[in-house]
Amino acid sequence: MADDKLERIKCLIIGSGPAGYTAAIYASRADLKPVMYTGMEPGGQLTTTTEVDNFPGYPEGIDGPTMMVQLQQQAERFGTQVRIGMVTEVDFAKEVGGIHKACIDNKTWVEAETVIISTGATAKYLGLPSEQRLRGGGVSACAVCDGFFYKGQEVAIVGGGDTAAEEATYLANICSKVTMLVRKDEMRASKAMQHRVMSTKNIDLRYNSEVDEVLGEQVVEGLRIVNNETGEKEDIKITGLFIAIGHKPNTDIFKGQLDMHDDGYLITKGKSTKTNLPGVFASGDVQDKEYRQAVTAAGTGCMAALDAERYLATVESEEEVSA
């Protein structure tokens, strides 16, 4: 039963990246009066990206933080309430028309008729101090996003799975040389992807190799590699380092309530953003491990808002019939 003392929200948006803000724009224009809680990283992964050159409508490019500020302003222009806060717990209803509950910052509960989850995924990094210092200065977790800036230059990529192999071959098309560091004595990638890597002439594949230190003060100037079998170290000159060791979807608080893959990505139905619970929708990287681009996240944010609008219309028409 609903608690009359709790704030009732028509459309609650959890997360504030391209998916969340696009959902907010569409939801507010549909008069769903959305309330967004930004999470710990307002703006999502794009706030750590210096230049965004591949989002439509920006012929000169734009830096990630500025783009997120503009998306927020656009959402607020149509009436979205953007609140700084972290959803720390949820209690989702299981029946159509049920009221969902969310706890903000471990203290305040709110109710919501619909929920759009746009909590994204967090790129995994190696955790080296030199790597963290140079994030945005030559260290990146997205070759498709940032590879263009290293056209004709020598770069390195860390990882041995399908994503690393795919990004290595992508970089090889635009960079003069790609040094690929694989921690074990073999790649985890599929045989087809391994063959692509091995048949690409300008990829220097190094097994049993790890990053000892990223070299450079303000920008990446080189890499110290260590062979984890012999302990031998080697310095190479590079201008860009790409980390491709996976992403972790930010879905821990939804475990036990929403269906998800073994790796934590939320499962949506067909071509929709519907989860297994009525009135709860997922958009952006939290349900997309294939593309992980700002523009695809924005697209699913639009879809989630439209799905939420249609869901509410269905609930309201059913209530009218019952009455």
Side-chain angles (χ1 to χ4, degrees):
M1 188 170 177
D3 187 339
D4 293 334
K5 295 178 183 178
L6 297 184
E7 179 187 10
R8 174 73 63 85
I9 296 167
K10 205 167 196 177
C11 179
L12 170 65
I13 300 174
I14 308 175
S16 56
Y21 282 131
T22 305
I25 291 166
Y26 275 80
S28 53
R29 284 170 62 86
D31 202 28
L32 301 190
K33 300 177 175 58
V35 173
M36 170 189 285
Y37 281 95
T38 61
M40 292 293 287
E41 189 179 40
Q45 289 187 72
L46 275 189
T47 57
T48 63
T49 303
T50 49
E51 292 293 330
V52 180
D53 266 347
N54 54 6
F55 198 94
Y58 294 96
E60 303 301 322
I62 187 170
D63 68 87
T66 300
M67 183 181 175
M68 289 301 97
V69 168
Q70 291 181 356
L71 279 177
Q72 178 178 337
Q73 291 170 340
Q74 189 173 358
E76 289 176 328
R77 175 182 156 213
F78 296 114
T80 300
Q81 286 188 46
V82 178
R83 300 177 181 174
I84 304 298
M86 181 91 170
V87 174
T88 49
E89 188 180 347
V90 292
D91 181 12
F92 291 144
K94 294 180 174 58
E95 67 279 358
V96 173
I99 301 302
H100 309 290
K101 293 184 179 181
C103 183
I104 315 302
D105 296 326
N106 292 308
K107 56 185 179 182
T108 307
W109 285 87
V110 296
E111 293 181 338
E113 295 174 39
T114 58
V115 178
I116 295 175
I117 298 168
S118 306
T119 49
T122 303
K124 296 178 182 177
Y125 284 89
L126 303 172
L128 298 170
S130 55
E131 169 206 46
Q132 296 302 307
R133 190 183 76 248
L134 290 167
R135 280 176 59 179
V139 174
S140 168
C142 182
V144 176
C145 310
D146 299 328
F148 176 80
F149 301 113
Y150 303 92
K151 191 173 183 180
Q153 300 175 43
E154 295 190 9
V155 299
I157 186 165
V158 179
D162 278 341
T163 299
E166 189 173 343
E167 293 199 341
T169 52
Y170 170 83
L171 289 168
N173 285 328
I174 54 180
C175 299
S176 60
K177 181 182 178 182
V178 180
T179 301
M180 185 174 185
L181 307 181
V182 180
R183 186 165 52 91
K184 296 183 178 179
D185 58 2
E186 62 180 4
M187 295 173 67
R188 289 182 294 106
S190 63
K191 294 298 181 184
M193 290 305 300
Q194 289 188 45
H195 178 71
R196 280 178 63 184
V197 168
M198 292 173 185
S199 61
T200 304
K201 292 181 179 179
N202 60 334
I203 295 180
D204 179 13
L205 185 57
R206 308 276 194 99
Y207 293 112
N208 297 114
S209 297
E210 298 181 43
V211 177
D212 185 61
E213 189 173 358
V214 187
L215 307 175
E217 288 300 318
Q218 302 299 320
V219 296
V220 173
E221 297 172 2
L223 200 62
R224 182 162 296 138
I225 303 169
V226 59
N227 184 298
N228 55 30
E229 277 195 330
T230 65
E232 184 181 346
K233 295 182 179 180
E234 177 190 355
D235 289 0
I236 63 170
K237 285 188 176 182
I238 59 166
T239 52
L241 173 63
F242 296 89
I243 311 297
I245 57 175
H247 288 71
K248 183 184 184 300
N250 302 317
T251 56
D252 285 351
I253 64 169
F254 309 118
K255 286 179 179 175
Q257 297 191 59
L258 295 180
D259 290 346
M260 55 184 73
H261 296 282
D262 291 341
D263 51 11
Y265 286 89
L266 296 181
I267 297 173
T268 49
K269 297 180 180 179
K271 293 183 178 179
S272 77
T273 62
K274 299 173 185 175
T275 67
N276 58 298
L277 294 181
V280 180
F281 309 92
S283 64
D285 288 10
V286 77
Q287 51 84 57
D288 171 26
K289 56 182 172 182
E290 291 295 324
Y291 302 103
R292 292 196 300 266
Q293 299 298 303
V295 68
T296 52
T300 56
C302 162
M303 292 163 60
L306 295 175
D307 285 342
E309 181 186 6
R310 291 165 185 167
Y311 167 80
L312 286 172
T314 302
V315 169
E316 287 167 8
S317 58
E318 286 181 359
E319 288 175 349
E320 287 173 7
V321 170
S322 299

PDB file of all heavy atoms in Angstrom, residues 15-27:
ATOM      1  N   GLY A  15      20.220   8.123 -12.816  1.00  0.00           N
ATOM      2  CA  GLY A  15      21.421   8.252 -13.645  1.00  0.00           C
ATOM      3  C   GLY A  15      21.317   9.414 -14.603  1.00  0.00           C
ATOM      4  O   GLY A  15      20.225   9.799 -15.039  1.00  0.00           O
ATOM      5  N   SER A  16      22.481  10.002 -14.956  1.00  0.00           N
ATOM      6  CA  SER A  16      22.466  11.293 -15.658  1.00  0.00           C
ATOM      7  C   SER A  16      23.430  11.376 -16.835  1.00  0.00           C
ATOM      8  O   SER A  16      23.969  12.435 -17.113  1.00  0.00           O
ATOM      9  CB  SER A  16      22.806  12.403 -14.665  1.00  0.00           C
ATOM     10  OG  SER A  16      24.056  12.139 -14.028  1.00  0.00           O
ATOM     11  N   GLY A  17      23.643  10.272 -17.537  1.00  0.00           N
ATOM     12  CA  GLY A  17      24.443  10.334 -18.752  1.00  0.00           C
ATOM     13  C   GLY A  17      23.578  10.691 -19.947  1.00  0.00           C
ATOM     14  O   GLY A  17      22.451  11.180 -19.784  1.00  0.00           O
ATOM     15  N   PRO A  18      24.049  10.446 -21.162  1.00  0.00           N
ATOM     16  CA  PRO A  18      23.259  10.743 -22.358  1.00  0.00           C
ATOM     17  C   PRO A  18      21.907  10.039 -22.370  1.00  0.00           C
ATOM     18  O   PRO A  18      20.913  10.603 -22.821  1.00  0.00           O
ATOM     19  CB  PRO A  18      24.150  10.242 -23.501  1.00  0.00           C
ATOM     20  CG  PRO A  18      25.535  10.240 -22.952  1.00  0.00           C
ATOM     21  CD  PRO A  18      25.393   9.931 -21.502  1.00  0.00           C
ATOM     22  N   ALA A  19      21.861   8.803 -21.852  1.00  0.00           N
ATOM     23  CA  ALA A  19      20.593   8.061 -21.812  1.00  0.00           C
ATOM     24  C   ALA A  19      19.615   8.731 -20.857  1.00  0.00           C
ATOM     25  O   ALA A  19      18.443   8.956 -21.195  1.00  0.00           O
ATOM     26  CB  ALA A  19      20.840   6.615 -21.396  1.00  0.00           C
ATOM     27  N   GLY A  20      20.085   9.046 -19.657  1.00  0.00           N
ATOM     28  CA  GLY A  20      19.212   9.650 -18.655  1.00  0.00           C
ATOM     29  C   GLY A  20      18.690  11.012 -19.078  1.00  0.00           C
ATOM     30  O   GLY A  20      17.495  11.312 -18.946  1.00  0.00           O
ATOM     31  N   TYR A  21      19.578  11.855 -19.603  1.00  0.00           N
ATOM     32  CA  TYR A  21      19.147  13.196 -20.008  1.00  0.00           C
ATOM     33  C   TYR A  21      18.209  13.155 -21.205  1.00  0.00           C
ATOM     34  O   TYR A  21      17.245  13.928 -21.285  1.00  0.00           O
ATOM     35  CB  TYR A  21      20.358  14.077 -20.323  1.00  0.00           C
ATOM     36  CG  TYR A  21      21.053  14.612 -19.093  1.00  0.00           C
ATOM     37  CD1 TYR A  21      22.437  14.512 -18.937  1.00  0.00           C
ATOM     38  CD2 TYR A  21      20.333  15.228 -18.074  1.00  0.00           C
ATOM     39  CE1 TYR A  21      23.077  14.989 -17.806  1.00  0.00           C
ATOM     40  CE2 TYR A  21      20.956  15.710 -16.938  1.00  0.00           C
ATOM     41  CZ  TYR A  21      22.330  15.593 -16.807  1.00  0.00           C
ATOM     42  OH  TYR A  21      22.957  16.075 -15.682  1.00  0.00           O
ATOM     43  N   THR A  22      18.456  12.251 -22.154  1.00  0.00           N
ATOM     44  CA  THR A  22      17.551  12.144 -23.302  1.00  0.00           C
ATOM     45  C   THR A  22      16.194  11.635 -22.856  1.00  0.00           C
ATOM     46  O   THR A  22      15.148  12.133 -23.302  1.00  0.00           O
ATOM     47  CB  THR A  22      18.142  11.213 -24.376  1.00  0.00           C
ATOM     48  OG1 THR A  22      19.440  11.679 -24.744  1.00  0.00           O
ATOM     49  CG2 THR A  22      17.265  11.193 -25.617  1.00  0.00           C
ATOM     50  N   ALA A  23      16.177  10.662 -21.948  1.00  0.00           N
ATOM     51  CA  ALA A  23      14.916  10.186 -21.380  1.00  0.00           C
ATOM     52  C   ALA A  23      14.186  11.335 -20.698  1.00  0.00           C
ATOM     53  O   ALA A  23      12.958  11.479 -20.830  1.00  0.00           O
ATOM     54  CB  ALA A  23      15.177   9.056 -20.384  1.00  0.00           C
ATOM     55  N   ALA A  24      14.935  12.175 -19.995  1.00  0.00           N
ATOM     56  CA  ALA A  24      14.328  13.313 -19.289  1.00  0.00           C
ATOM     57  C   ALA A  24      13.711  14.310 -20.264  1.00  0.00           C
ATOM     58  O   ALA A  24      12.620  14.846 -20.026  1.00  0.00           O
ATOM     59  CB  ALA A  24      15.386  13.997 -18.427  1.00  0.00           C
ATOM     60  N   ILE A  25      14.409  14.575 -21.374  1.00  0.00           N
ATOM     61  CA  ILE A  25      13.893  15.516 -22.383  1.00  0.00           C
ATOM     62  C   ILE A  25      12.561  15.015 -22.936  1.00  0.00           C
ATOM     63  O   ILE A  25      11.573  15.751 -22.996  1.00  0.00           O
ATOM     64  CB  ILE A  25      14.926  15.712 -23.514  1.00  0.00           C
ATOM     65  CG1 ILE A  25      16.149  16.477 -22.991  1.00  0.00           C
ATOM     66  CG2 ILE A  25      14.299  16.447 -24.703  1.00  0.00           C
ATOM     67  CD1 ILE A  25      17.359  16.433 -23.923  1.00  0.00           C
ATOM     68  N   TYR A  26      12.525  13.745 -23.310  1.00  0.00           N
ATOM     69  CA  TYR A  26      11.292  13.188 -23.886  1.00  0.00           C
ATOM     70  C   TYR A  26      10.190  13.044 -22.843  1.00  0.00           C
ATOM     71  O   TYR A  26       9.015  13.317 -23.119  1.00  0.00           O
ATOM     72  CB  TYR A  26      11.587  11.836 -24.542  1.00  0.00           C
ATOM     73  CG  TYR A  26      12.076  11.961 -25.956  1.00  0.00           C
ATOM     74  CD1 TYR A  26      13.414  12.274 -26.222  1.00  0.00           C
ATOM     75  CD2 TYR A  26      11.218  11.789 -27.040  1.00  0.00           C
ATOM     76  CE1 TYR A  26      13.871  12.406 -27.528  1.00  0.00           C
ATOM     77  CE2 TYR A  26      11.676  11.917 -28.347  1.00  0.00           C
ATOM     78  CZ  TYR A  26      12.998  12.231 -28.575  1.00  0.00           C
ATOM     79  OH  TYR A  26      13.438  12.369 -29.871  1.00  0.00           O
ATOM     80  N   ALA A  27      10.561  12.627 -21.631  1.00  0.00           N
ATOM     81  CA  ALA A  27       9.557  12.436 -20.581  1.00  0.00           C
ATOM     82  C   ALA A  27       8.944  13.765 -20.154  1.00  0.00           C
ATOM     83  O   ALA A  27       7.733  13.863 -19.929  1.00  0.00           O
ATOM     84  CB  ALA A  27      10.190  11.733 -19.378  1.00  0.00           C
TER      85      ALA A  27
END
